[in-house]
Amino acid sequence: MRFLLCLITTLSAVRAAPFELISKRALGDHEWTRNKTTGCPAYLDEGQFEYPHYITQISQLEPDRAFGPQFSGLITPNDISSVFSFDVPASRADANCTLEFLFPRLDQLTTSRFLYEGAGTFFFNGYLAGSCPGPETTFNNQPTPGVFPPFPPIHMEPGYAYTLDVGPCTFAAGTCVAGVTSSNDTIFKFFQDKDDCPIGIYNSYSYGLPCPPEFC
C-alpha cells in the first residue's frame, strides 16, 4: 500500500499499472447491514480491518504548528492536510492489506457527519514504514517520505468506496505506517467513524489471492 503502507516492493497482479486507483464502486444502502452474507458495512468484516490509530493535521501556511491528536480528518485547499497512521500487527504478515476510503452520502450516515465543498481532487502521499506521526508532527517536521512517488490526483465524491491499493502486509507487519492526504480545490472535514455507516480510511485484511478489482 503506497499511501499508508508505502512499502510494498511487489504489488498484487490485480494492479493494471502502478499508482492507479484500483476501483470505485457505489455504496448501496444494503451494505450498511451487519450481515456477513451481504457484507459487514461496506465490506468491513469485524476483526479484519484497522482504522487509523493516530490522526493529525499539518498546515502549509502555518508550517510549525503542531495540531496534536485529532478524531476528525480536515483538508483545505493548498493549506491543511490530514495525516493518518495505522499499526499493523506482526501477526498479519501473511495477509493482504487493502487500503480503502469509504465515503457514504450524508443520508447514509447515522453517527457521523462531513463537510464537502469543492471539485473533489485529492492527493495521497505515503511515509516510510516505521516513521509515523506524533504530537510533534508539523508541516516542517513530517515523518520520513516513502520510497514510492505520490499517487496521481484522484476524484472522490460522496456515495462511493475507493480502493486505493492492495498488496502484501509483509513489510508493514509489526510497525506503524502512515500517509498524508491533501487537496488543491476542496474543503473536506469528516469524523472518522467505523460504526453502522463507516466513513473514512481503513486498512482491511484478507488471505489467499487478493480481491479482484471489480469486487473490491
Side-chain angles (χ1 to χ4, degrees):
M1 300 171 61
R2 284 177 302 274
F3 165 48
L4 290 183
L5 300 187
C6 201
L7 47 94
I8 302 305
T9 57
T10 303
L11 289 178
S12 160
V14 303
R15 298 301 299 249
F19 316 124
E20 285 186 340
L21 176 68
I22 292 181
S23 72
K24 170 187 174 182
R25 57 180 174 79
L27 291 174
D29 293 336
H30 69 280
E31 294 189 57
W32 306 126
T33 302
R34 291 187 176 275
N35 181 312
K36 290 188 178 297
T37 300
T38 59
C40 199
Y43 302 119
L44 287 179
D45 290 323
E46 196 68 36
Q48 297 299 321
F49 69 92
E50 305 282 347
Y51 53 83
H53 296 148
Y54 194 86
I55 300 173
T56 192
Q57 278 81 49
I58 55 176
S59 171
Q60 187 173 346
L61 299 182
E62 298 180 85
D64 294 317
R65 178 183 174 184
F67 287 76
Q70 304 289 320
F71 293 104
S72 296
L74 174 62
I75 298 164
T76 64
N78 301 311
D79 182 15
I80 296 177
S81 303
S82 280
V83 178
F84 302 93
S85 179
F86 293 92
D87 295 327
V88 180
S91 61
R92 298 292 188 171
D94 60 342
N96 303 308
C97 282
T98 297
L99 184 70
E100 189 169 46
F101 196 97
L102 306 181
F103 196 177
R105 304 185 310 268
L106 273 175
D107 62 273
Q108 292 174 308
L109 292 171
T110 56
T111 57
S112 182
R113 282 288 182 269
F114 65 79
L115 171 66
Y116 174 89
E117 297 178 354
T121 305
F122 294 92
F123 301 84
F124 298 86
N125 294 293
Y127 297 125
L128 191 67
S131 180
C132 291
E136 73 288 349
T137 297
T138 67
F139 184 86
N140 283 338
N141 184 31
Q142 299 182 50
T144 305
V147 297
F148 291 97
F151 270 66
I154 69 168
H155 173 80
M156 295 199 305
E157 60 186 292
Y160 295 90
Y162 297 86
T163 301
L164 302 173
D165 214 343
V166 180
C169 299
T170 306
F171 301 99
T175 188
C176 58
V177 286
V180 59
T181 305
S182 60
S183 179
N184 62 357
D185 59 15
T186 303
I187 297 172
F188 185 31
K189 182 176 182 179
F190 65 94
F191 176 68
Q192 174 88 25
D193 189 359
K194 64 180 180 63
D195 285 339
D196 289 336
C197 210
I199 182 174
I201 194 161
Y202 296 89
N203 176 36
S204 61
Y205 302 115
S206 62
Y207 293 85
L209 293 176
C211 176
E214 62 268 27
F215 298 110
C216 293

